[in-house]
């Protein structure tokens, strides 16, 4: 009897403690889930707020300026009430196109070199180096462009200013090169070895294998890399501000100062009254950037959908 | 007839080998040129800036008129704002990364969250700056502050940290989870005691890279933090102006009147590159040690 009671009471206690522990465990379990869910939802809320604030403020511009004027007029004279943003839209588009013309071939060459040609010790230097370059502040690239590239361009071309689309696109090329290279590098590495070996077994040289087998197989990844590089080039602000010249004019050539969406926003927003058409116009330009970056995601999704 | 075909074949073969040679050499050329250019740029920044970096420069008060001012408050603000932004974005980013990797059911809500993460990741940094500007300057009437800059910057980090956490957790083998459940652990215990420790190195690496980016970010700070500081060293008040080192570099080369503005810009650039190099070294240290051990064996 005594023994039984002992066993009962002693076995009862841990079980009771276990029950309490289990309950707090469940509560904690639930609270942690709630925290994770809320922080995930937070991201959605933040994005929603950004679109709301920027969009709401930006769309106010159409109270005073017609849609046609904003998008198609090249007259940006805020003091005279003329808010045509076409110069900046064209500037952003042409700057991005020019940057991609320089950056994509170079990055692809570098990525192919890293995966297919380079010996191991070179790979071990190049990959960390590229990762390091992604982390270098954009302002430093801008500063280098201003102190090194622009004097160089002046010397070579003999132009007076040197600021403009060419300088900006060269700076941006150096900036997006590591991004595009690293993602294409991953895409090319992920191409199954069998494909490559089959190509070699059929007697193709490395050149033929790269162009006819590896690059086509890695195409979705390379396209994604390109679009991400484009997104970075379109949104880049400070590096561009330092070398583009910041003049609202349509450039006759690549060495004439001009302006793009980002540079114009950042140069003018500080000095502008919040409740003015000028300010609304700047916010509309930011909203435009937001729309462009959303389009980029849609493109990437399309590519990824096809790739799978 | 046969001989003709054979000769044609030999010529084609030879030309394709020649193409291959040219291709290989040009790849070497392009890669070494890029490597040289990049090394040259980095060395030039450090060469121009490093000799002038003294304790006085790092902690001194900037001077608007006379030469010899430091960047103390700017460097302090840089670190202060970075800490605020990481303190805000790490818990939320890791939390949402865990949600996406561990909890998220395959439904529309998850799709919506994933879209938001991707969307936030592609938003240009200047938009975060503008958002901070509307929110803190116009809506809350706080003006340009350290706090505002920190919060705006944390929004920039959020999607990066979320994605890094999710990827690090997804790389963990399922066995670990199952073993933990088999021992009677709840989901949150499994996550805290098994999954997070296993994914920690990935999360830390990714967060350090995000911190690198946040440290050098300038567009957000310019719009949400302003170009100036309170002008005092060790000013912990989060309501004073939040100009950081990158902003000061921009200001020094574009608007400053001081005669040694050029040197200040050079030195600030060198300080930033040095910080980024240090952070990168720290991240890579474990990998380097492992490589070294393997090489020794």
């Amino acid at each position: 009897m005594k023994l039984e009671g002992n066993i009962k009471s002693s076995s009862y206690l841990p079980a009771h403690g276990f029950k309490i522990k289990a309950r707090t465990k469940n509560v904690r379990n639930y609270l942690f889930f709630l925290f994770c869910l809320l922080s995930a939802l937070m991201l959605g809320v933040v994005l929603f707020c950004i679109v709301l604030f920027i969009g709401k403020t930006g769309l106010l511009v159409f109270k005073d300026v017609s849609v046609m004027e904003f998008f198609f007029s090249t007259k940006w004279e805020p003091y005279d009430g003329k808010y045509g943003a076409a110069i900046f839209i064209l500037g952003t588009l042409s700057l991005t196109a020019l940057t991609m013309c320089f950056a994509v071939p170079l990055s692809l060459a570098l990525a192919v070199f890293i995966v297919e040609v380079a010996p191991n010790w070179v790979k071990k230097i190049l990959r960390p180096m590229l990762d390091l370059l992604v982390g270098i502040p954009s302002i430093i690239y801008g500063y280098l462009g201003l102190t090194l590239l622009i004097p160089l361009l002046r010397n070579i071309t003999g132009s007076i200013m040197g600021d403009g689309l060419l300088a900006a696109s060269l700076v941006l090329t150096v900036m997006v090169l590591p991004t595009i290279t690293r993602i294409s590098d991953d895409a090319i590495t992920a191409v199954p070895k069998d494909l490559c070996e089959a190509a070699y077994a059929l007697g193709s040289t490395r050149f033929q294998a790269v162009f006819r087998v590896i690059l086509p197989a890695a195409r979705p990844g390379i396209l994604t890399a390109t679009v991400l590089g484009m997104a970075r080039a379109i949104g880049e602000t400070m590096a561009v501000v330092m070398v583009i010249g910041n003049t609202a004019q349509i450039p006759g050539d690549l060495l004439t100062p001009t302006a793009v969406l980002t540079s114009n926003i950042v140069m003018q927003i500080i000095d502008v009254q919040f409740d003015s058409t000028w300010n609304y116009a700047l916010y509309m330009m930011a909203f435009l950037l937001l729309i462009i970056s959303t389009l980029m995601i849609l493109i990437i999704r399309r590519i990824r959908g096809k790739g799978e | 007839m046969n001989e003709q075909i054979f000769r044609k074949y030999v010529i084609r073969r030879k030309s394709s080998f020649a193409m291959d040679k040219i291709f290989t050499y040009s790849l070497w050329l392009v890669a070494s040129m890029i490597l040289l250019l990049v090394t040259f740029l980095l060395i030039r920044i450090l060469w121009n800036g490093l000799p002038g970096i003294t304790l006085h420069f790092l902690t001194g008060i900037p001077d608007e008129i006379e030469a010899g001012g430091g960047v103390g408050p700017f460097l302090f603000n840089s670190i202060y704002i970075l800490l605020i932004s990481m303190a805000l974005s790490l818990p939320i980013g890791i939390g949402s990364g865990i949600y996406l990797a561990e909890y998220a059911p395959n439904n529309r809500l998850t799709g919506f969250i994933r879209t938001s993460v991707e969307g936030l990741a592609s938003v240009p940094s200047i938009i975060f700056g503008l958002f901070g500007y509307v929110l803190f300057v116009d809506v809350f009437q706080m003006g340009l502050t350290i706090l505002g800059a920190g919060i705006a910057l944390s929004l920039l980090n959020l999607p990066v940290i979320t994605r890094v956490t999710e990827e690090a957790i997804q790389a963990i083998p399922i066995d670990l989870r199952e073993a933990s459940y088999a021992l009677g652990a709840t989901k949150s215990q499994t996550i805290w005691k098994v999954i997070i420790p296993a994914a920690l190195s990935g999360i830390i690496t990714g967060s350090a890279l995000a911190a690198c980016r946040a440290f050098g970010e300038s567009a957000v700070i310019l719009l949400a933090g302003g170009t100036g500081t309170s002008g005092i060293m060790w000013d912990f008040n989060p309501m004073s102006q939040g100009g950081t080192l990158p902003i000061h570099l921009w200001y020094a080369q574009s608007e400053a009147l001081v005669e040694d503005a050029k040197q200040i810009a050079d030195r600030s650039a060198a300080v930033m590159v040095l910080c980024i190099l240090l952070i990168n070294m720290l991240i890579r240290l474990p990998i380097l040690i492992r490589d070294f051990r393997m090489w020794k064996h």
Side-chain angles (χ1 to χ4, degrees), chain A residues 25-26 28-30 32-33 35-47 49-50 53-54 57 106-110 112-113 117-119 121-122 124-141 143-144 146-148 174 177 202-208 210-211 231 234-238 241-242 261-263 265-267 269-272 274-275 279 282-283 285-287 289-290 293-294 296-297 300-301 304, chain B residues 12-13 16-17 19-20 23-24 27-32 34-35 37-42 44-45 91-100 103 109 111-120 122-128 130-131 133-135 138-139 144 155 158-159 162 184-189 191-192 196 209 212-213 215-219 222-223 226 246-247 249-250 253 255 261-263 265-266 268-270 272-273 276-277 280 284 291:
Chain A
K25 235 164 76 173
N26 275 338
R28 241 188 247 161
N29 196 12
Y30 184 69
F32 185 69
F33 165 72
F35 167 75
C36 290
L37 178 65
L38 284 181
S39 32
L41 285 177
M42 178 97 170
L43 284 161
V45 173
V46 166
L47 186 63
C49 284
I50 288 177
F53 271 103
I54 306 278
T57 318
L106 279 178
S107 319
L108 271 186
L110 197 55
V112 169
F113 174 78
V117 182
W121 64 272
V122 177
K124 276 203 176 134
I125 298 175
L126 272 176
R127 281 190 178 136
M129 188 110 183
L130 289 170
D131 288 341
L132 171 77
L133 285 183
V134 177
I136 299 272
S138 56
I139 196 109
I140 300 235
Y141 288 112
Y143 183 62
L144 283 172
L146 191 73
T147 52
L148 270 178
V174 179
L177 186 94
L202 288 173
S204 57
T205 59
R206 181 153 62 196
F207 174 71
Q208 289 163 333
V210 164
F211 273 91
I234 287 174
E236 181 47 50
T237 312
M238 299 309 282
V241 166
M242 292 171 98
L261 289 170
T262 50
S263 71
I265 295 171
V266 92
M267 290 306 287
I269 196 86
I270 302 276
D271 313 321
V272 166
F274 191 79
D275 301 315
N279 187 55
L282 293 178
Y283 272 85
M285 282 154 59
F287 193 50
L289 281 174
L290 204 56
S293 70
T294 315
M296 298 276 166
I297 303 178
I300 292 180
R301 287 205 150 183
R304 219 183 281 156
Chain B
R12 250 181 81 184
R13 200 69 194 144
S16 68
F17 275 126
M19 269 309 268
D20 190 47
F23 171 67
T24 308
L27 280 187
W28 271 101
L29 190 72
V30 168
S32 46
I34 292 174
L35 197 63
L37 176 74
V38 165
T39 330
F40 165 72
L41 293 180
L42 284 180
R44 195 194 132 99
I45 293 174
I92 300 178
I94 292 180
S96 51
I98 290 174
Y99 179 79
L100 284 178
Y103 291 107
L109 180 69
F112 165 73
I113 292 172
R114 275 186 206 286
T115 316
S116 310
V117 175
E118 261 178 72
L120 270 185
S122 77
V123 169
S125 62
I126 187 174
I127 306 257
F128 289 107
L130 273 180
F131 179 63
Y133 191 69
V134 181
L135 203 63
D138 188 55
V139 178
L144 301 165
L155 302 182
L158 266 182
T162 302
T186 60
K187 188 144 196 170
S188 67
Q189 282 175 326
I191 291 171
W192 270 107
I196 290 187
L209 288 176
C212 257
R213 193 178 154 204
F215 181 77
E217 180 54 53
S218 35
L222 181 64
L223 293 181
I247 300 294
L249 166 56
W250 177 69
Q253 68 77 28
E255 282 170 44
K262 173 103 177 65
Q263 278 96 319
D266 275 340
S268 309
M272 273 187 275
V273 170
I276 302 294
L277 278 175
N280 263 274
R284 242 162 259 294
D291 277 3

Side-chain angles (χ1 to χ4, degrees), chain A residues 71-112:
Chain A
F71 285 105
F72 297 108
S73 157
T74 56
K75 274 214 169 71
W76 177 262
E77 285 156 7
Y79 292 111
D80 299 332
K82 294 212 167 72
Y83 300 98
I87 295 172
F88 311 119
I89 298 171
L90 279 178
T92 291
L93 293 181
S94 49
L95 177 59
T96 311
L98 198 60
T99 305
M100 287 300 126
C101 286
F102 294 134
V104 171
L106 279 178
S107 319
L108 271 186
L110 197 55
V112 169

Side-chain angles (χ1 to χ4, degrees), chain A residues 167-189:
Chain A
S169 65
L170 286 175
V171 168
L172 280 181
T173 301
V174 179
M175 286 187 63
V176 299
L177 186 94
T179 313
I180 304 182
T181 308
R182 283 300 271 139
I183 303 173
S184 319
D185 172 2
D186 291 340
I188 295 174
T189 311

